[in-house]
Structure formats: structure tokens, C-alpha cells
Amino acid sequence: MYLLGPQRIYRAHLLPWQDQLRALQDAGDWMGAFHVGMELFDGRALAVMGLPRGIDALRKIVTPTLLSLLSNYIDEVFTYLSLAFGSTIDAAPNAVEKEELTVQAKEQYARVGGVAIEFCVHIHQTDVLFNHIFHKFCAAEQRGTFLELLEPYILKDTLGALAPEVMQGLVEYYSQLGWVQRVELCVLHMDIASLDFNQVVRLCRENRLYSALIYLFNKGLDDFKSPLEELLLVVQDISNPHVQTCGYACFWLYTILQFCMLCYLRKKDIQTILHLYL
């Protein structure tokens, strides 16, 4: 296509999809490149050359290029942040300024991590997220930043499974900060198969996270008896100094028994129930 300008003639042509991404990347428009990449992955991109019509075949072709785009973004931004904050934080004249710079660095890494998580979830490449990108954050001493970014996606059920290494890191990190209740909420939204079962059960017992404990046994082992026995032991322990814990255990014990009774009532009439208990 030729365009007539005031002083010259311009020639325009349609770029192949790889060149479109490369042009945006070279211009530093990473967000634009990711936007185009996601449209390509969804099959919604317009004026695209060289891609099949079938969505599965299309995704198979574009995914390696999209992962390369993400890797280049992570490498470039991490290099910049390392130069911007690495020596600056160490050279801070006092603790207050050092803390401010540390917070600023964490915010910048969090922005990068948010982009990476959104993109990996969108293109169904969480393996890359939990391997290459997670290790990048660990190497940059931003492991906690990455783990905190995962929580909203877990609670929204966008991330239902974590790699064992990442899940273990999440449990350990949140436990060290005293965020055990937040761990419990995350566990309730997780795929049991992705958890280190024994580790999470131990954490739940140590911190009296009974709803998560019940979920683990019920969902993971199809075991409804063990958590009930454990709750009974807590309630019967008169030497237990945690009064609030006993109340919490009683609540879940009552809830379990209530549901057991309701399930039983579906099969038996009320006279049969009264006959059994009177």
C-alpha cells in the first residue's frame, strides 16, 4: 500500500505476527507486546499472517514465541532493577533511607511479577512461572515478593495448583511472618495433589487451623473420621490453655456432626433417629 504525503510517498505493508511483537519489543512497549501476544493466543488478533485458523494449532505455534517474549522482558527489567537498586541500597547513608529504597525495589519487582503471573496464567504456562520466573525472583532476593503475589490468584481460584517447591516456600514464608490464617485460606482453595500433605497437616495442627485440616483429610484422603477424632481430643483436653482454640474446635465439631446428621436424615426418618438416641 502506498500513501501520498506532502513531500514524499510512503510505502506500508503488513508485518508478520512475529515482526509485530519484535517491533513492539524493540520500541520498549512491553505491555503492548503482551497485549498483542494474548490476542494472538486467544485467536482474536486482526490482520495476522502465517497462522492457522484452528485455535489449538495456533497456540502450539505462538506459545514458544510468547515465552521468549516473557523471558526477554524478565531478563531486561531484572537487569535494570539490579543496576538501579543493587548498589544504591547498600550505599544508603542511614537505615531509614535504606528501608525506603528496599520498599521501592519491592514495589518495582512486584509490578514485574504481576505482569508475569497474569501472562503465564493467560497462556496456560504456569510451569514456566513456577520454574524459571520463580527462580529469577529467588536469585534477586525477592522470593517473598513473588510468593505474596500468588495469594490473590489462589483465593480467586485462578491458580488452583502450585509446584511443590513453591507451595512449600509459601507455607514457610507465611508461617515465619505469622500469617498462618492466610495460609489456611490458601489451602482451602488449593488442589490437594499440589501440596506437601504431611507438611501442611503439621502446620495446621501446630497452629490449630481446623478448617484446613478437615479439608485436607476429607478432600485428600476421603477420611472423615480422623479430623473428628482430633477435634474430640482437643475438646476433651481440660488442660488446654487455649480457651479460644477449644471454642473453635467445638464449632467445627458441631458443624461436622450437624452435617453428618443431615446426611443421615436423608436416608432415615426422624422417628428412626429418635429411636436410636432415646
Side-chain angles (χ1 to χ4, degrees), residues 65-111:
T65 302
L66 298 183
L67 291 177
S68 177
L69 172 69
L70 178 62
S71 179
N72 292 339
Y73 169 71
I74 294 291
D75 290 343
E76 181 170 318
V77 177
F78 270 48
T79 300
Y80 168 77
L81 292 177
S82 177
L83 293 172
F85 290 103
S87 57
T88 308
I89 293 175
D90 294 334
N94 54 65
V96 174
E97 188 169 338
K98 185 174 183 178
E99 179 64 22
E100 290 177 354
L101 289 171
T102 302
V103 171
Q104 291 176 18
K106 183 175 181 178
E107 290 174 351
Q108 294 298 323
Y109 278 104
R111 290 192 181 96

Side-chain angles (χ1 to χ4, degrees), residues 9 20 23 28 39 68 88 113 137 144 164 185 195 205 214 227 229 245:
I9 295 176
Q20 292 181 34
E39 287 194 331
S68 177
T88 308
F137 274 83
L185 287 175
L195 302 176
R205 283 173 172 158
I214 293 167
E229 292 175 341
T245 298

Side-chain angles (χ1 to χ4, degrees), residues 218-235:
N218 291 178
K219 194 80 171 179
L221 302 178
D222 199 26
D223 180 359
F224 298 86
K225 182 180 178 182
S226 295
L228 186 60
E229 292 175 341
E230 191 145 347
L231 290 171
L232 283 170
L233 289 174
V234 174
V235 173

Side-chain angles (χ1 to χ4, degrees), residues 207-208 210 234-235 240-251:
N207 295 279
R208 300 172 291 281
Y210 297 119
V234 174
V235 173
N240 194 329
H242 302 285
V243 177
Q244 185 177 2
T245 298
C246 290
Y248 191 38
C250 286
F251 166 77

Side-chain angles (χ1 to χ4, degrees), residues 29-46:
D29 186 3
W30 292 102
M31 297 305 104
F34 287 131
H35 177 72
V36 171
M38 289 189 289
E39 287 194 331
L40 285 167
F41 186 83
D42 294 338
R44 296 185 290 107
L46 301 176

Side-chain angles (χ1 to χ4, degrees), residues 15-272:
L15 290 174
W17 63 273
Q18 299 100 323
D19 291 342
Q20 292 181 34
L21 292 174
R22 193 175 300 113
L24 290 168
Q25 179 179 329
D26 292 342
D29 186 3
W30 292 102
M31 297 305 104
F34 287 131
H35 177 72
V36 171
M38 289 189 289
E39 287 194 331
L40 285 167
F41 186 83
D42 294 338
R44 296 185 290 107
L46 301 176
V48 177
M49 298 171 55
L51 287 177
R53 292 183 179 273
I55 191 67
D56 292 334
L58 180 149
R59 289 177 174 178
K60 186 176 181 179
I61 291 174
V62 303
T63 295
T65 302
L66 298 183
L67 291 177
S68 177
L69 172 69
L70 178 62
S71 179
N72 292 339
Y73 169 71
I74 294 291
D75 290 343
E76 181 170 318
V77 177
F78 270 48
T79 300
Y80 168 77
L81 292 177
S82 177
L83 293 172
F85 290 103
S87 57
T88 308
I89 293 175
D90 294 334
N94 54 65
V96 174
E97 188 169 338
K98 185 174 183 178
E99 179 64 22
E100 290 177 354
L101 289 171
T102 302
V103 171
Q104 291 176 18
K106 183 175 181 178
E107 290 174 351
Q108 294 298 323
Y109 278 104
R111 290 192 181 96
V112 178
V115 171
I117 294 172
E118 287 280 357
F119 193 65
C120 286
V121 168
H122 192 95
I123 66 173
H124 309 159
Q125 293 295 321
T126 53
D127 288 347
V128 175
L129 178 67
F130 298 139
N131 187 7
H132 174 67
I133 295 174
F134 175 62
H135 292 148
K136 277 280 190 180
F137 274 83
C138 291
E141 299 182 355
Q142 293 292 329
R143 176 172 171 266
T145 302
F146 181 87
L147 294 172
E148 288 179 40
L149 290 171
L150 297 177
E151 183 182 355
Y153 294 90
I154 295 171
L155 297 181
K156 290 188 297 184
D157 296 321
T158 305
L159 283 174
L162 303 182
E165 180 185 5
V166 178
M167 186 62 202
Q168 182 177 352
L170 181 71
V171 171
E172 291 174 352
Y173 176 70
Y174 273 37
S175 300
Q176 290 169 3
L177 295 176
W179 296 347
V180 289
Q181 298 293 338
R182 290 167 66 175
V183 173
E184 183 176 34
L185 287 175
C186 289
V187 169
L188 293 173
H189 288 264
M190 295 298 298
D191 178 10
I192 300 294
S194 71
L195 302 176
D196 183 332
F197 190 86
N198 293 327
Q199 179 201 33
V200 180
V201 167
R202 184 175 64 253
L203 174 74
C204 292
R205 283 173 172 158
E206 290 173 353
N207 295 279
R208 300 172 291 281
L209 306 178
Y210 297 119
S211 60
L213 190 66
I214 293 167
Y215 172 76
L216 289 168
F217 277 98
N218 291 178
K219 194 80 171 179
L221 302 178
D222 199 26
D223 180 359
F224 298 86
K225 182 180 178 182
S226 295
L228 186 60
E229 292 175 341
E230 191 145 347
L231 290 171
L232 283 170
L233 289 174
V234 174
V235 173
Q236 292 172 352
D237 184 7
I238 59 174
S239 64
N240 194 329
H242 302 285
V243 177
Q244 185 177 2
T245 298
C246 290
Y248 191 38
C250 286
F251 166 77
W252 281 109
L253 183 61
Y254 170 77
T255 303
I256 293 174
L257 292 174
Q258 182 184 36
F259 277 104
C260 288
M261 186 65 72
L262 288 173
C263 291
Y264 192 80
L265 282 171
R266 290 178 181 177
K267 299 179 181 179
K268 303 288 184 179
D269 56 36
I270 190 64
Q271 286 79 10
T272 306

